[in-house]
Amino acid sequence: MPAGVQGESVARNYAEALLALARKAEDPAGWGSLLRQVANAIRSDNTLSRFLESPRIAADAKSAVLSKALGDRVPRLFLRFLQQLVKNRRQMLIPTIANEYDTLLDASEGIVHATVTVARATGEEETAMIGERLSKVVGKKVVPHVSVDPSIIGGVVVRIGDTVMDGSVRRKLAKLRRRMGTGRA
């Protein structure tokens, strides 16, 4: 198994464990937010990242710093979870665990994320309308993540997981060209 896939699998296991703890505490969204904040801090703060990554600093010292920094700000079980990650030398997986946690939480709530490519920037109303229409098609709440690519000329390209729905003008023109016998895409 490739290292990246193995890391994601391990991260998913930790995310599942944390989600179970968060559900027992009746605050899965809150714990997800806390985990995301810790993950963002690791990604954005090089000093913190190097501190957690360093093999020269004992796990007990790292746990003590986590306790001092987070002890009165997070639930005790959440802190113990982070400390267990440090003890197991998995602390650098926290950003991946956060992603997996978000995915698991969304799936349990019937939420899917869609990458939506449009030819021009959309406003909040248009984005909301795209989300509503996709929700009706998919049968779940869809959260659209919109990006702009003028090369599609018009229409939209939607990706939900492995499924791609290409309603772009570019694709329609290419299809028309093939029908007309030019053979150019």
Side-chain angles (χ1 to χ4, degrees), residues 102-144:
D102 290 344
T103 300
L104 290 169
L105 184 60
D106 285 349
S108 72
E109 295 177 354
I111 298 171
V112 295
H113 293 263
T115 303
V116 179
T117 305
V118 295
R120 60 171 179 74
T122 60
E124 287 181 31
E125 276 186 40
E126 266 185 298
T127 301
M129 185 180 69
I130 290 169
E132 288 171 17
R133 287 186 180 170
L134 288 172
S135 295
K136 287 178 184 172
V137 170
V138 174
K140 294 182 178 183
K141 181 176 188 219
V142 175
V143 178

Side-chain angles (χ1 to χ4, degrees), residues 61-169:
K62 293 174 186 178
S63 288
V65 168
L66 285 173
S67 183
K68 188 171 184 177
L70 302 173
D72 60 346
R73 297 184 176 133
V74 300
R76 186 176 57 81
L77 276 176
F78 181 84
L79 176 60
R80 287 182 53 204
F81 175 82
L82 293 178
Q83 290 172 324
Q84 189 63 45
L85 288 174
V86 168
K87 182 178 177 184
N88 295 347
R89 298 180 185 184
R90 302 288 192 187
Q91 65 273 16
M92 297 317 292
L93 284 178
I94 291 172
T96 307
I97 294 168
N99 292 340
E100 293 292 335
Y101 185 96
D102 290 344
T103 300
L104 290 169
L105 184 60
D106 285 349
S108 72
E109 295 177 354
I111 298 171
V112 295
H113 293 263
T115 303
V116 179
T117 305
V118 295
R120 60 171 179 74
T122 60
E124 287 181 31
E125 276 186 40
E126 266 185 298
T127 301
M129 185 180 69
I130 290 169
E132 288 171 17
R133 287 186 180 170
L134 288 172
S135 295
K136 287 178 184 172
V137 170
V138 174
K140 294 182 178 183
K141 181 176 188 219
V142 175
V143 178
H145 300 278
V146 178
S147 63
V148 177
D149 180 359
S151 73
I152 70 168
I153 304 169
V156 296
V157 178
V158 178
R159 177 182 293 273
I160 300 174
D162 293 336
T163 303
V164 177
M165 296 172 263
D166 190 343
S168 67
V169 172

